[in-house]
Structure formats: C-alpha cells, structure tokens
C-alpha cells in the first residue's frame, strides 16, 4: 500500500467534478494575476481576517534563500465565514472544492484506520480533520530553476493533504525505502500530473497516530522556466487543542510506542517555527529509546 511506503498516491473517480477542478485552477490564476497591492491586503500583518493569509516562501525571516512561490491560505470555520472572509476571486470555488472533497477524505480515513483495527465515528473523524485549510500556490516562471526551489523538502504536518496540481508538473517525492518500479531509497521521483486526478499524501499526524505504519511523505517542488504553475492543496489536521498519540491498537501490534503524546498546537508551533528540513519536524514527537 502506497500509504505505508511512499506516502503519496493519486486518485481518479474521487467524486470531485473535473469542471470544478478546472474552475479552481482558473480562479487561482485570477487571484495571483491581480496587482500586488490588491493581494498585499491579505498579508499576515494587515489581513482583515485571521482566516486568510497571503505570503511568500515558508518562514522567510529564517530562510537563507526564499522559496520561489506566492500563496494564499484560507482556514475553514464554517460556510458563512468562508463566503464572507475568503478573497472574492476564489472563495466560492475553493469552498466547493473543500466540501466536495471531504467525503473522499472520510472514506480514505475509514480504510486507513480500518487497516489498524479502528472503526471511525464522527467524533474520531473530527479528531483527525477538525482543522481544514485550502491553499492556492503560485509558482511564477523562474529564469534559472537550478538556483532555487518552489518549495523546499518537507513533510506536511497534518493528517491527509488533498492536492490539485496543474499539467505543468514539478512535484517530487523522496523514496524512503526501495520500491519496485518506482525508485531506489533516497531518490526523488516526480508525481506526474494526471488529468482529472487528485494527489493524496500522508501527513506527520497520521504517521504519529499509526505509530509509523503510515509514512508522511517528504516532498518538494521544482521551479520551471517555461510557464507559471498553480497547485491547490486542502490540508486536513487535528485541531490545535487535540491530543495526538499512537493508537493503542497500533502500539499493541508493534510492542512499543514510537511517538509520545503531544498537543497538536505545540506540534504546529514547532513546525511553523523552523525552516523546511525534510522530516525533521517529526523529531518533536519521537521517542528515542536507549
């Protein structure tokens, strides 16, 4: 199973209409094509809403070299707030994308947790996906792609990420262990764009909860000199107040816990307080036995 090895897989027949996905890419291009001053109103320091943030790179105040991208981040609380606070250029299509994707997320988690012997009810689903966020990423053409990256190598902090990428490509995942027909350990392999497909990747929270059975995927994005690129991820995570720890069923099967219990908000602060550095973020919760 890809969730146990690569941490990345692609889905077709996912229930999200293809014309909605095309509209989503158009909306992303529309937003980022605006004059700088219109986008800048959503910068963290001045944004009219704590739900919306526009920025460049990941932790620019700590990075030696900035990532070659802009993004708009939209946190979901409820439909009314999304339609009022998210940017008008993309709010309706981004909200529809989120809402139509969540039944797929639920089904995926039911399968993944079922493999661990855990049956999910609404409370447990909410515990895994209580925080939801839609991002739109824009990677402008780069005159010399070899001198920079679109996004540095990292794993996502949450449970599952659902990603729409356009047809240009540039998303790479690191092979953690040799996988037949995919690559050797340590190699970077591209996740090729498939028309109408959505990319799913495992996040750190799911690796912790599964006691390491499911692997969060170390990935990065390369820039291109030919055409600007957009991607639109949905990040699903536990709420900041949620405690996460390896499931008893997983610990019993493995004989020991690989991770300690953490409050997810503490994990988030550590994640966002450091530059992208592979899967180093997982060390925050890791138990190092003598």
């Amino acid at each position: 199973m890809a969730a146990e090895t690569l941490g990345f897989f692609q889905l077709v027949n996912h229930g999200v209409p293809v014309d909605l996905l095309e509209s989503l890419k158009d909306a992303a291009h529309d937003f980022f094509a605006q004059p700088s001053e219109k986008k800048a109103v959503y910068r963290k320091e001045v944004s009219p809403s704590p739900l919306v943030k526009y920025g460049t790179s990941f932790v620019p105040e700590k990075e030696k070299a900035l990532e070659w991208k802009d993004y708009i981040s939209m946190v979901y609380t409820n439909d009314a707030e999304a339609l009022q606070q998210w940017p008008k250029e993309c709010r309706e299509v981004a909200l529809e994308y989120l809402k139509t994707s969540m039944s797929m997320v639920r089904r995926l988690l039911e399968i993944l947790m079922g493999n661990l012997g855990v049956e999910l009810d609404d409370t447990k689903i909410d515990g895994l996906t209580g925080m939801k966020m839609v991002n739109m990423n824009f990677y402008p053409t780069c005159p010399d792609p070899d001198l920079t990256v679109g996004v540095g190598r990292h794993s996502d902090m949450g449970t599952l990420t659902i990603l729409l990428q356009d047809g240009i490509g540039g998303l790479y995942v690191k092979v953690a262990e040799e996988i037949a027909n995919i690559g050797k350990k340590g190699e970077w392999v591209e996740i090729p764009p498939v028309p109408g497909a959505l990319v799913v990747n495992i996040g750190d929270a799911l690796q912790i909860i599964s006691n390491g059975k499911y692997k969060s995927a170390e990935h990065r994005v390369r820039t291109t000199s030919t055409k600007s690129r957009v991607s639109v991820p949905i990040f699903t995570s536990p709420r900041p107040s949620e405690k996460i720890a390896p499931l008893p069923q997983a610990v019993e099967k493995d004989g020991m816990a690989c991770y300690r219990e953490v409050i997810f908000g503490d994990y988030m602060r550590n994640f966002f307080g450091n530059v992208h550095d592979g899967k180093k973020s997982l060390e925050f919760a890791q138990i190092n036995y003598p």
Side-chain angles (χ1 to χ4, degrees), residues 80-243:
E81 281 200 328
L83 291 172
Q84 184 177 14
Q85 304 288 353
W86 292 5
K88 62 179 174 37
E89 294 78 13
C90 55
R91 61 176 60 146
E92 291 184 4
V93 68
L95 180 60
E96 189 66 20
Y97 172 48
L98 175 64
K99 291 174 69 176
T100 55
S101 295
M102 287 314 295
S103 59
M104 168 185 55
V105 170
R106 183 186 184 105
R107 182 67 185 128
L108 286 170
L109 286 173
E110 286 173 346
I111 293 168
L112 292 170
M113 292 295 103
N115 288 340
L116 299 175
V118 177
E119 194 169 320
L120 289 184
D121 56 21
D122 288 344
T123 302
K124 288 176 180 170
I125 287 279
D126 190 59
L128 292 169
T129 65
M131 185 168 66
K132 305 173 186 70
M133 183 167 67
V134 182
N135 274 27
M136 288 184 166
N137 300 320
F138 177 68
Y139 305 94
T141 54
C142 179
D144 198 339
D146 290 334
L147 295 182
T148 187
V149 294
V151 176
R153 59 190 190 90
H154 70 289
S155 55
D156 293 343
M157 68 175 183
T159 303
L160 287 178
T161 301
I162 309 299
L163 175 75
L164 169 65
Q165 59 171 340
D166 62 17
I168 295 168
L171 173 63
Y172 288 79
V173 61
K174 190 175 185 179
V175 180
E177 55 191 70
E178 189 159 339
I179 306 172
N181 302 320
I182 293 179
K184 295 182 178 180
K185 182 177 180 178
E187 284 185 348
W188 288 92
V189 296
E190 186 171 12
I191 304 295
V194 174
L198 289 168
V199 179
V200 181
N201 72 278
I202 307 296
D204 290 352
L206 191 53
Q207 179 162 335
I208 292 168
I209 289 162
S210 69
N211 204 39
K213 180 177 177 67
Y214 300 130
K215 306 293 191 297
S216 63
E218 184 177 347
H219 55 287
R220 68 185 186 191
V221 176
R222 288 180 58 87
T223 57
T224 174
S225 61
T226 56
K227 199 173 182 183
S228 59
R229 174 181 182 269
V230 294
S231 67
V232 189
I234 296 171
F235 298 105
T236 65
S237 306
R239 287 194 176 92
S241 58
E242 193 82 26
K243 292 179 179 177

Side-chain angles (χ1 to χ4, degrees), residues 113 116 128 155-159 202-216 238 242-251 254 256-264 266-268 270-271 279-287:
M113 292 295 103
L116 299 175
L128 292 169
S155 55
D156 293 343
M157 68 175 183
T159 303
I202 307 296
D204 290 352
L206 191 53
Q207 179 162 335
I208 292 168
I209 289 162
S210 69
N211 204 39
K213 180 177 177 67
Y214 300 130
K215 306 293 191 297
S216 63
E242 193 82 26
K243 292 179 179 177
I244 62 169
L247 291 160
Q249 294 91 333
V251 174
D254 297 338
M256 64 178 187
C258 299
Y259 304 95
R260 63 185 177 90
E261 180 181 85
V262 296
I263 297 170
F264 192 67
D266 294 339
Y267 193 88
M268 286 176 60
N270 177 72
F271 184 87
K279 293 182 64 169
K280 195 173 177 63
S281 51
L282 270 168
E283 292 177 6
F284 183 80
Q286 204 154 2
I287 298 175

